[in-house]
Each structure stands twice: as structure tokens, then as C-alpha cells.
Amino acid sequence: MRKMLLAVLSRVLQSPAAVAAAGKPASRVMVASRNYADFANEATFEIKKCDLHRLEEGPTTTTVMTREEGLQYYKTMQSIRRMELKADQLYKQKIIRGFCHLYDGQEACCVGIEAAIKPTDHVITAYRVHGFTYTRGVPIREILTELTGRKGGCAKGKGGSMHMYTKNFYGGNGIVGAQVPLGAGIALACKYFGKNEVCMTLYGDGAANQGQIFETFNMAALWKLPCIFVCENNRYGMGTSVERAAASTDYYRRGDFIPGLRVDGMDVLCVREATKFAAEHCRSGKGPIVMELQTYRYHGHSMSDPGISYRTREEIQEVRSKSDPITLLKDRMVNNNLASIEELKDIDVAVRKEIEEAAQFATTDPEPPLEDLCQHIYFNEPPFEVRGPNQWISYKSTS
């Protein structure tokens, strides 16, 4: 009891009021008492230089990040990380079924890209889609509810993990590399209608050897399409390392006649500045550009892959300890007086609360009724009858 009383007394004596009463300088007040006026509004950072292909100049190596931007990037990346960990948990509980490819470790890619483009620009990607769905504006609750196949999901429970969509976001595509020609088509539409918009067309290192990608490169270069081809190189296509899968792992050079950038995909500021550069390249009428983001996934290829049969736990831990995108941003903000550790911890607590509430909804929302299978087959079409699972029952489909 005596020790407890001494501990309480010690804390009281360290309070700002007690310090002032004792005549101690105000600078010795505990860090927890800092207010927002104590923080810098912005800071300048040196970032890694990009490798260039067919470019005389590349993105800047010095950039400014405001406190507001930093807090937003941190919250968004932390939200994606916690959402993916919750998806892992729900999958192991067999609440999420089917295919599920998680994005934790790669958060700087989608957050950096979104920070550099406009809401009117377009994004299309492969099946590791949850992060981009969130940065494109879909709430976490709708993403998790889509994962559990419920009515409140962003695709009404019919798309699941691999097929999520929203305005100017053309979803996750399950056929390896098939989204790349679709992305060029979107860029063609932007050019045809005279819109000053670009299409971010993303694929992985595993898809980079697909023939349809090279065909698309050729057409995009001939027609000078405003298309940014983004290879998210997370070092493994399913269970095969890039060194075993590709004779050349310089994916940013794969466009040959198309300019390219190789970017540190674990640094949100590197990704942001490279994407700004690439977007300006496209908007100025110079045609497409290839951008390779060197990143890493912490989970296996999908939930059916433990992720440690073709790489070691030590390798994963080394990346986590040296290159984690959230930790890197957190250290930058604290070391440059853009935020305090306590403030970032408060964000962590709020994010966890939001994820838990979203998961609760995702596990209790009702599943769509059977007749909803026949809804929304075509867009903007008159209602028509569709035979259901039972050949004697038909449903009416509407747009």
C-alpha cells in the first residue's frame, strides 16, 4: 500500500500544476500535455532516387509533407493494415470463404498513388484489391461486408474478395494480367472524349510475363494513351520468386520503347512523387509510362498459401523491421515534429474500434436473397426474365 501511495504522489508531483508550483521551467512539463500548436505544419524530406528508363529527368528527390497529409496517410495505411488482419481472422474462422488475397505490407503503394491522382482519374487492378477499394472511397464496413458475402457489401455480396468496384474504380480482376488491356481501353476512352484524365493500370510481377501486356504496351505507345502501367513487384508470383520466373527482373524496362521508373514501393512519399511525375507525363500528351513499385507482401499469395514454404520467416521479419511502410512514416513524423507518439497511438485506437464495428456488421448483416443472383446482369436495360437455379422458377432482372 505504501508503494502505491508513493507512486501516486510521484505522478502528482510531475503534473504541470505541480511543476509550475515548484517553480520549475515549463519546458519540463510532460510530453503528453503538448497541444497542436507545438507541432510543425510541414517538413522537407529526402527520398530515394528512382531508376530511369528512356527518361532524361525523373521525379524529385526532395519533397514536402504537411502535418495534415502525414496524419491522413498514417490513418489510411493503418486502416488498411488492420482491415487485412481482420480479414485474415474472419477467413480462419470460415466466415469469409473462397479466394482472398491480402494487401498488408503494400499499403504505401495504394496510398501514395491515391495521394498523387485526382478522384476523376481511373484505377484498375488485379485481385489483391482491398487496399485500392478503400483508397478509392469505399468504407471499410462495405469492404468487410462484401468479403463475408452480405447484402451491405460494396458489390451487394456478389463480388467477394476479388471483385470490388466503385466510381472510376474498375475493380479487382481474377484473370492474371487481363486488367491491363482493359486499363488501356479506359485510357483510350479518356483520350477519345478529350478528358484530361489518366488510368492507373496495375498488375503484379507474376503477370508481367503475360503476352497480352506486351500487346497492350504496343497499342498504348502507338496511340499515345494516358495510361500509367504499374507493376507492383512484391518479389513473388504465387510461390515463385521473381528471379526464378523472369530472365529480366527490371520490370520498369519491360515497355522497351515506353519510358519507365523503378520506385521504392515501401515509401509512401516516393510513390506519391513518382506517380505525380508519371501523371504529368501522361497528361502532357507524351503517351504511356511504366512504373515498377518494389514492395513486399507479408501474407502468402492468398489465404491458402502459408507464405513460408518458398521464403523464410526471417526474411519476412527483416522486411518488417527495416522497410515497413507504416513504421517508416511514423518515424518520419515523430522525428520531424509533425506528430507525437501519443497522437499516433490515439489514431491506432480509433482505427481498431472502427474495424471491430465494421466486422460486427459484416458478420450480422443478412445474406442476399436467392433472386438477387439475377439482378444487375446488364446496365440500363429493361427488365427481363431469367431462369433461376430451379428450372421451373424464373426471376425478373433489373438494372
Side-chain angles (χ1 to χ4, degrees), residues 160-397:
S161 175
M162 301 175 73
H163 305 288
M164 297 183 180
Y165 310 92
T166 191
K167 186 174 176 59
N168 296 331
F169 178 61
Y170 306 87
N173 291 262
I175 306 300
V176 176
Q179 72 279 5
V180 177
L182 296 178
I186 296 166
L188 175 60
C190 293
K191 183 172 183 178
Y192 183 84
F193 290 112
K195 297 180 178 180
N196 190 27
E197 299 168 357
V198 300
C199 181
M200 308 296 304
T201 302
L202 294 109
Y203 57 97
D205 53 276
N209 302 313
Q210 285 274 321
Q212 59 190 323
I213 291 179
F214 295 94
E215 295 176 49
T216 305
F217 284 170
N218 183 60
M219 295 174 71
L222 282 172
W223 297 343
K224 292 191 179 298
L225 300 182
C227 192
I228 303 174
F229 296 104
V230 183
C231 177
E232 289 185 287
N233 176 9
N234 60 26
R235 293 169 49 178
Y236 296 95
M238 296 188 73
T240 306
S241 67
V242 292
E243 292 81 11
R244 291 179 58 218
S248 170
T249 58
D250 291 336
Y251 296 104
Y252 72 110
R253 295 177 178 269
R254 291 288 193 92
D256 187 12
F257 36 79
I258 299 177
L261 301 165
R262 181 157 60 191
V263 185
D264 181 358
M266 302 299 273
D267 182 348
V268 68
L269 296 182
C270 252
V271 176
R272 184 187 72 177
E273 295 308 314
T275 305
K276 284 181 181 178
F277 177 89
E280 179 57 34
H281 175 94
C282 288
R283 294 190 211 279
S284 64
K286 295 178 182 177
I289 189 168
V290 177
M291 192 163 70
E292 176 190 344
L293 303 182
Q294 293 188 312
T295 184
Y296 197 82
R297 55 173 166 80
Y298 292 158
H299 269 83
H301 172 73
S302 70
M303 286 302 297
S304 61
D305 168 21
I308 52 172
S309 59
Y310 49 86
R311 59 182 184 179
T312 62
R313 295 182 188 274
E314 289 72 25
E315 177 186 307
I316 302 169
Q317 187 55 43
E318 183 180 11
V319 175
R320 282 183 177 274
S321 62
K322 294 181 178 179
S323 306
D324 184 78
I326 298 176
T327 303
L328 176 61
L329 177 63
K330 179 180 180 179
D331 291 345
R332 275 178 168 163
M333 294 185 69
V334 172
N335 294 339
N336 287 273
N337 197 35
L338 292 176
S340 67
I341 293 176
E342 291 77 12
E343 186 178 17
L344 298 178
K345 283 181 179 177
D346 288 343
I347 292 176
D348 296 346
V349 171
V351 165
R352 285 192 179 97
K353 183 174 184 293
E354 181 185 4
I355 299 296
E356 289 301 326
E357 290 175 352
Q360 179 64 27
F361 180 83
T363 54
T364 56
D365 191 48
E367 295 181 353
L370 194 59
E371 57 266 24
D372 274 14
L373 285 171
C374 302
Q375 298 294 339
H376 311 111
I377 296 175
Y378 295 106
F379 174 69
N380 205 21
E381 286 283 321
F384 60 95
E385 288 194 346
V386 179
R387 192 177 76 184
N390 185 323
Q391 62 178 325
W392 309 114
I393 299 175
S394 62
Y395 299 109
K396 185 162 286 189
S397 182

Side-chain angles (χ1 to χ4, degrees), residues 22-66:
K24 299 290 179 69
S27 60
R28 294 185 63 182
V29 175
M30 294 173 66
V31 176
S33 67
R34 294 171 67 187
N35 58 44
Y36 295 135
D38 297 326
F39 297 115
N41 290 325
E42 61 181 40
T44 302
F45 300 93
E46 295 292 326
I47 56 176
K48 186 177 178 182
K49 184 179 179 181
C50 297
D51 296 320
L52 308 180
H53 172 63
R54 285 185 175 265
L55 290 167
E56 293 183 3
E57 294 182 359
T60 181
T61 56
T62 304
T63 187
V64 174
M65 180 176 68
T66 67

